[in-house]
Amino acid sequence: MSNIPSDKAVLVTCGLPYANGKAHVGHLRTYIPADIFVRSLKKNSQETTFVCGSDTHGTPIVVNAEELGITPKELVHKYHVHFDEVFKKMDVRFDAYGTTDDDTNHNRTLDIVDRLIEKGYVYPKVIEIAYCPQCDRFLPDRYVAGTCPHCGEKARGDECDQGCGKHLEPGELKEPACTICRGPAEYKEQEHFFFKLSEFKDFLLEHLENLGGTLNARNYAIGWIKQELTDWCITRNLEWGVKFPGHDDLVVYVWVDAPIGYMAFTEQWAEATGGDWEKFWRGDCPIIHFIGGDIIYHHCIFWPAMLKGADYSQPSAVVASGMLKIEDKTFSKSRGYVVWVEEDYLDHGFHPDLLRYYLVSYTSHTKEVNFSWKIFQDKINTELVGVFGNFLYRNLLFAFKNFGEIPEGEIDPEVVEKINSTIEEVTRANSEYEFKKAADTAMALASYGNSYFQSNEPWKLIKEDKDACGKVVKNCIQLAKALVLLFEPMTPGSMEVAWKQIGMESDVHTVTYDEATVSVVSGTKLAKPEILFTKLEDDKIEEMEKISSKRVKAAMAKEAGIKEVEIMEFKEEIEYDDFAKLDIRVGKIVSAEKIKKSKKLLRLQVDIGDEEPRQVVAGLAEHYEPEEMIGKIVNVLVNLKPVKLCGVESQGMLLAADAGERVSLLTTDKEMGPGSCIR
């Protein structure tokens, strides 16, 4: 590609998924574009290595493991396997996928920390650390919460996650509290180790001026550096992690060993393949990091300074993605605004290629993506089905029915030129990390193919001049060949099928763009094509929206303090006449008592405006004491057939809202006399 030397191998990495939870669509915002970028590089004959792995250290891992009653190693193994499997299912293909708890990463981390100590870039310092007297333990990072010293918002130990977003050093939090016992914490002195980040200001400014990738990453980092750069505390009071040299009671901070994972995974790739990891990390071969926009500081400031201090090569580009919204709401697992890759997508039979296409074609890589089931449906049906899929199927079906093979004919120079210009534009867009532009350009070639087929009217030519018709069909198949190669990075699984449908026997994933204009071979037998992309139907999308809505309601109920709530499905529609049959009246409870044979039932006498109070049996004994019921204004269904409950006749039913553990009687917001009708 244009900004990468063609004679140099390229290393592409992805920000490491944290191994303490399931994969969601927000994760794929980074990994799918990176995979598409790598596939595009290979389509241009660029030697490329793609590595990633699970981030397995840090306090959240330890906290989660303690809550579950398992070891951190058991927890991270579970989610490491999960992410590895999800990536494979989504056709994200790494050349190496490791974990930061691998021996390779431990060894490389210790090597780098030792180098930094030897060169004077790491030094000891006695600082105040939050300590919980109730739990009798020091409180690193997520074990302590308090108030941000910069903006006054609630914050956790290492980051102001609710306010200004600043990295926080140990001891900075005001009003510290233990997140385990919720009790107040205090500060105690302890020796820790710091990295002299402040000494790298001039280097970082020069490095960032030459850094490739997306402008949002570079500009954000430059803004931080022009403020004050403070030294980083790089040790923590944990047993889980990479032990700090000579101090078994300390481990290195997770943001030290996590990015070193990139290097360790490259070493593992080299060991498995006979490759050379040092050509990237001690040489001049480009290193390109794909990350989420929330970890720019670590990758553009802390990481390159650490590499520089230990005499390793610098990243040549950092590509930072925009964040994700769900149904136009801020992504939030706790509030239910999340789409899980397996249970909400793959397990429902959606093809990986549909989501891959949606995530890169929705908007520019640096902008916020909104995942909406309706927009997803419309984009897939309009573009992949209506334009690209339509061109492939109608053309190949016509060829199969009328020729059974690729017919004779010359490829029009105009078609060759259109293919070449499209590949050039797609290549340029990908080199600039403009994946939406690349997708739109490829889709424009499919639109051109549809117009070419339509304007030449082969259904008429087949009756008038079969040779001329054959030429049109062959040109369309040539366009199909080019399109399959262009779409392979975005929709690799579907393009495997499409490649075979045009009679190709090679591996579509290894065929380069150079092959796009190599003429398809006349006489190649064609099988009856299958439809590659089918419409997403309304009922399926409505089903997914209901699942999302149910999750949000459940999360809101939990947030409101309701531990368990069953979100009932809406019942089928009824006519007004059905509702009109219900006689609901305002009532006033005049007496209440428990029924001896039942723990749940109360015997109530309710004034509904009749001559005598109506006896009603209600299952409210677990929610209301009898004495607090007396005098309540309630709504009563009075024309319900009498039934006996525990031997006591009930002549009506009280209306109440039921949210599992919480039940609330329905009443009126103004004073209404007993017997008033509810309509």
Side-chain angles (χ1 to χ4, degrees), residues 531-597:
I531 295 174
L532 292 177
F533 304 106
T534 55
K535 286 184 66 176
L536 299 177
E537 301 296 342
D538 291 343
D539 57 352
K540 185 61 183 178
I541 297 303
E542 288 170 7
E543 176 191 349
M544 302 315 299
E545 288 182 322
K546 284 182 179 179
I547 290 171
S548 297
S549 176
K550 185 175 181 179
R551 178 177 291 132
V552 170
K553 288 178 181 177
M556 290 173 65
K558 184 177 181 181
E559 196 173 58
I562 303 171
K563 294 181 181 178
E564 294 182 13
V565 56
E566 180 183 358
I567 306 299
M568 303 297 293
E569 296 289 341
F570 289 108
K571 297 180 179 179
E572 63 183 30
E573 291 182 350
I574 63 172
E575 300 291 337
Y576 175 77
D577 290 345
D578 296 321
F579 172 75
K581 293 177 183 177
L582 303 178
D583 189 356
I584 305 172
R585 304 290 180 103
V586 172
K588 182 178 181 179
I589 298 174
V590 295
S591 71
E593 61 180 357
K594 289 185 177 181
I595 294 176
K596 293 181 180 180
K597 296 180 181 179

Side-chain angles (χ1 to χ4, degrees), residues 149-344:
H150 304 289
C151 69
E153 291 292 330
K154 292 181 180 179
R156 58 197 189 198
D158 60 344
E159 181 186 14
C160 180
D161 56 318
Q162 300 294 317
C164 62
K166 285 188 176 181
H167 169 79
L168 299 177
E169 287 294 313
E172 282 194 281
L173 272 184
K174 294 182 177 179
E175 302 169 351
C178 175
T179 60
I180 304 301
C181 71
R182 307 296 178 185
E186 58 191 46
Y187 282 114
K188 281 191 174 185
E189 289 189 342
Q190 190 185 39
E191 183 180 70
H192 277 265
F193 291 83
F194 281 73
F195 172 60
K196 290 183 179 178
L197 184 62
S198 57
E199 288 198 12
F200 292 87
K201 182 173 183 177
D202 292 339
F203 156 74
L204 286 169
L205 286 173
E206 182 181 353
H207 166 70
L208 289 168
E209 286 298 329
N210 298 305
L211 183 67
T214 51
L215 287 176
N216 61 335
R218 187 173 67 184
N219 291 343
Y220 178 90
I222 289 174
W224 270 103
I225 293 170
K226 288 185 176 177
Q227 301 175 35
E228 183 182 4
L229 269 187
T230 57
D231 294 349
W232 267 41
C233 179
I234 61 167
T235 49
R236 294 294 188 269
N237 295 94
L238 287 173
E239 293 182 5
W240 176 249
V242 179
K243 298 295 183 183
F244 189 80
H247 293 74
D248 288 342
D249 59 333
L250 298 176
V251 299
V252 299
Y253 182 38
V254 65
W255 273 110
V256 174
D257 73 270
I260 292 173
Y262 299 140
M263 195 180 299
F265 307 148
T266 314
E267 290 184 72
Q268 292 173 346
W269 158 80
E271 184 177 346
T273 63
D276 178 13
W277 71 273
E278 291 188 330
K279 67 185 179 185
F280 301 113
W281 297 105
R282 289 193 173 120
D284 59 355
C285 289
I287 300 168
I288 301 173
H289 295 313
F290 275 74
I291 63 168
D294 56 335
I295 52 176
I296 291 173
Y297 184 98
H298 310 82
H299 282 78
C300 292
I301 298 176
F302 183 62
W303 175 229
M306 191 163 64
L307 287 170
K308 177 67 174 177
D311 296 320
Y312 285 99
S313 302
Q314 306 303 310
S316 53
V318 174
V319 183
S321 64
M323 303 309 284
L324 183 85
K325 282 190 171 183
I326 303 293
E327 300 292 354
D328 216 26
K329 303 289 185 181
T330 300
F331 176 89
S332 172
K333 289 181 284 187
S334 63
R335 295 183 178 179
Y337 295 113
V338 60
V339 175
W340 302 110
V341 178
E342 284 196 313
E343 65 187 82
D344 294 335

Side-chain angles (χ1 to χ4, degrees), residues 105-115 242-245:
N105 191 56
H106 278 254
N107 294 336
R108 184 55 54 192
T109 299
L110 291 173
D111 171 71
I112 288 177
V113 171
D114 281 336
R115 281 172 177 264
V242 179
K243 298 295 183 183
F244 189 80

Side-chain angles (χ1 to χ4, degrees), residues 357-358 361-362 375 377-391 436 439-440 443 446-447 450 487 533:
Y357 178 77
Y358 179 85
S361 66
Y362 179 88
I375 299 174
Q377 176 192 29
D378 180 67
K379 195 163 186 63
I380 297 307
N381 289 353
T382 302
E383 297 174 19
L384 277 186
V385 177
V387 180
F388 181 37
N390 177 59
F391 171 70
K436 174 178 171 50
D440 290 347
M443 191 60 72
S447 295
N450 276 316
F487 273 85
F533 304 106

